[in-house]
Amino acid sequence: MDTRKTRKIKFIICIILLLNSINLVVNADTNRIYEAYVDNRLIGYIDNKNTFRNTYKDTKEELNNRIGSKCIRDKKIKFKSTDLKSEISTKEEIESNIIKTIDTEVNAQTININDKNCGTLFNKNEVNEAIKKFTNEYLKNMNINIDNVLEVSIDSDFKTSEEKVPISQINNINQIVDNINNDPNIKDNINIDVKVKEDKEVSIEPQTTIKQDESMYVGESKIIEDGESGSKHVLSEVIYHNGNKLKENIISEDILKNAKDRVECIGTKSPIGSNTAFLQAPTRGGWITSKFGARWGRNHNGIDIAGNTGDPVTAAYDGTIQEAGQVSGYGNMIKIKHQDNIETIYGHLSSIKVKKGQKVKKGDIIGCVGSTGRSTGPHLHFELRSKGKPINPEGYILNN
């Protein structure tokens, strides 16, 4: 064989063997796990040496930049292969463990809020950055757009002191903010006032116009025109104290759409004397055991309706509670004032469910049947009065 050809073949074989060797080395490094050490201190478990070296370099440079001088020198890095089934350390874990190996002491700023230590940073610029980050997170949690913030005021017992500490004990800005947020004894004693510009669209609720109708009885009503909401654009300055709205100063309002009034007709015709039933029966069922008029030598000003103790008593008509309490003879008594100087009275109740001044609707439960006061057994004494004069209520009670 030609000598030149032989040499050429040998050269090609050498190249192939070299490439295979490189491939084996690369694959070996990729598939293996190493223990990474700095100055003989275990930093973490890695699968790429170059990545670790770069992380060490970046961490060192970042610390030098924070300090403002190149006081942190390179330390000896070494690796040991391991057969342990260990999880690869995260970048954050490696960075944290690298910093723990640096015992160089520097002048730093220790932060105290309300006599609680929040951690240490390199300088006052970092302290201000931590306050800014805490404030921005607070505003974000309140769903406040930072661009709309006019003023922020933080009131707390905030102090910083200069101390000489090892770099390994110095926190980063995120850690300081977490320390404040995660300690209720610190966070709950910080008062924050925020003045913010708010630009919003607000609904305008329709007004109700009341019209009187002589063709309808007192207490009757009907809607003759539905209302419609409007809207307006409102620009205001709002002050929040610890997340709660404290004050709002409206700067301007622009109507976008006018509201349309709701029109309601109410009756003015008195039902008294018209033989028109307008009262709801004040109890369920029951029969009249004593009628209106003369009884036992005196006038019985109402009717007695049979019932069991505890049965519900309901308002016979819309109105306002005028009296609710003990009255001689009536026992537990409720008086409701209605329109057109009409009143209804409910006596001998076992209990009262309403208070003086309370508004009630027809059918609302106001008390329970009983036998209090001058009574011979459980029943409801029910009266109807017009302008103070007792009237027989029987013809005015609707049939159930």
Side-chain angles (χ1 to χ4, degrees), residues 67 71 104-108 122 163-167 170:
I67 296 167
C71 65
T104 304
E105 289 191 340
V106 294
N107 289 326
F122 280 113
E163 298 179 13
K164 199 161 191 173
V165 296
I167 289 174
I170 294 180

Short mmCIF file of all heavy atoms in Angstrom, two decimals, residues 67 71 104-108 122 163-167 170:
data_model
loop_
_atom_site.label_atom_id
_atom_site.label_comp_id
_atom_site.label_asym_id
_atom_site.label_seq_id
_atom_site.Cartn_x
_atom_site.Cartn_y
_atom_site.Cartn_z
N ILE A 67 -21.88 46.37 47.02
CA ILE A 67 -20.99 46.97 48.02
C ILE A 67 -20.37 48.26 47.48
O ILE A 67 -20.16 49.22 48.21
CB ILE A 67 -19.88 45.97 48.41
CG1 ILE A 67 -20.50 44.75 49.08
CG2 ILE A 67 -18.87 46.62 49.34
CD1 ILE A 67 -19.55 43.59 49.22
N CYS A 71 -14.20 44.01 46.86
CA CYS A 71 -13.62 43.47 48.08
C CYS A 71 -13.76 41.95 48.17
O CYS A 71 -13.15 41.31 49.02
CB CYS A 71 -14.22 44.13 49.31
SG CYS A 71 -15.98 43.80 49.52
N THR A 104 -16.30 38.11 54.85
CA THR A 104 -15.79 39.47 54.87
C THR A 104 -16.81 40.40 55.52
O THR A 104 -18.00 40.35 55.22
CB THR A 104 -15.52 39.97 53.43
OG1 THR A 104 -14.63 39.07 52.80
CG2 THR A 104 -14.93 41.37 53.44
N GLU A 105 -16.35 41.24 56.47
CA GLU A 105 -17.25 42.16 57.15
C GLU A 105 -17.27 43.51 56.45
O GLU A 105 -16.24 44.02 56.00
CB GLU A 105 -16.82 42.34 58.62
CG GLU A 105 -17.07 41.10 59.47
CD GLU A 105 -16.90 41.40 60.95
OE1 GLU A 105 -16.25 42.40 61.28
OE2 GLU A 105 -17.42 40.61 61.77
N VAL A 106 -18.48 44.08 56.38
CA VAL A 106 -18.65 45.41 55.77
C VAL A 106 -19.63 46.21 56.62
O VAL A 106 -20.41 45.66 57.41
CB VAL A 106 -19.19 45.30 54.33
CG1 VAL A 106 -18.19 44.65 53.40
CG2 VAL A 106 -20.53 44.55 54.30
N ASN A 107 -19.61 47.54 56.45
CA ASN A 107 -20.59 48.39 57.11
C ASN A 107 -21.92 48.27 56.36
O ASN A 107 -21.96 48.42 55.14
CB ASN A 107 -20.12 49.84 57.13
CG ASN A 107 -18.95 50.04 58.07
OD1 ASN A 107 -18.85 49.39 59.10
ND2 ASN A 107 -18.04 50.96 57.73
N ALA A 108 -22.97 47.98 57.09
CA ALA A 108 -24.27 47.76 56.47
C ALA A 108 -25.37 48.43 57.29
O ALA A 108 -25.12 48.92 58.40
CB ALA A 108 -24.55 46.27 56.33
N PHE A 122 -26.98 46.46 52.36
CA PHE A 122 -25.66 47.04 52.27
C PHE A 122 -25.64 48.54 52.55
O PHE A 122 -24.74 49.05 53.20
CB PHE A 122 -25.05 46.79 50.87
CG PHE A 122 -24.47 45.41 50.74
CD1 PHE A 122 -25.04 44.49 49.89
CD2 PHE A 122 -23.35 45.03 51.45
CE1 PHE A 122 -24.51 43.21 49.75
CE2 PHE A 122 -22.81 43.76 51.33
CZ PHE A 122 -23.39 42.84 50.48
N GLU A 163 -24.14 48.99 61.11
CA GLU A 163 -23.43 47.95 61.85
C GLU A 163 -22.44 47.25 60.92
O GLU A 163 -22.65 47.19 59.71
CB GLU A 163 -24.41 46.91 62.41
CG GLU A 163 -25.41 47.48 63.41
CD GLU A 163 -26.37 46.43 63.91
OE1 GLU A 163 -26.09 45.22 63.69
OE2 GLU A 163 -27.40 46.78 64.52
N LYS A 164 -21.38 46.74 61.52
CA LYS A 164 -20.41 45.96 60.75
C LYS A 164 -20.78 44.49 60.86
O LYS A 164 -20.82 43.92 61.96
CB LYS A 164 -18.99 46.19 61.27
CG LYS A 164 -17.91 45.80 60.29
CD LYS A 164 -16.59 46.46 60.62
CE LYS A 164 -15.62 46.27 59.47
NZ LYS A 164 -14.38 47.02 59.68
N VAL A 165 -21.14 43.89 59.73
CA VAL A 165 -21.61 42.50 59.74
C VAL A 165 -20.96 41.72 58.61
O VAL A 165 -20.55 42.31 57.58
CB VAL A 165 -23.15 42.44 59.61
CG1 VAL A 165 -23.83 43.08 60.79
CG2 VAL A 165 -23.61 43.09 58.31
N PRO A 166 -20.85 40.39 58.73
CA PRO A 166 -20.35 39.56 57.63
C PRO A 166 -21.31 39.64 56.44
O PRO A 166 -22.52 39.70 56.61
CB PRO A 166 -20.30 38.15 58.21
CG PRO A 166 -20.35 38.33 59.69
CD PRO A 166 -21.13 39.58 59.93
N ILE A 167 -20.75 39.61 55.24
CA ILE A 167 -21.57 39.65 54.03
C ILE A 167 -22.56 38.49 54.00
O ILE A 167 -23.67 38.60 53.50
CB ILE A 167 -20.67 39.64 52.78
CG1 ILE A 167 -19.95 41.00 52.68
CG2 ILE A 167 -21.46 39.38 51.51
CD1 ILE A 167 -18.93 41.07 51.58
N ILE A 170 -26.06 39.34 55.21
CA ILE A 170 -26.81 40.44 54.60
C ILE A 170 -27.90 39.89 53.69
O ILE A 170 -27.67 38.95 52.93
CB ILE A 170 -25.86 41.38 53.83
CG1 ILE A 170 -24.93 42.07 54.83
CG2 ILE A 170 -26.66 42.43 53.04
CD1 ILE A 170 -23.94 43.01 54.22
#
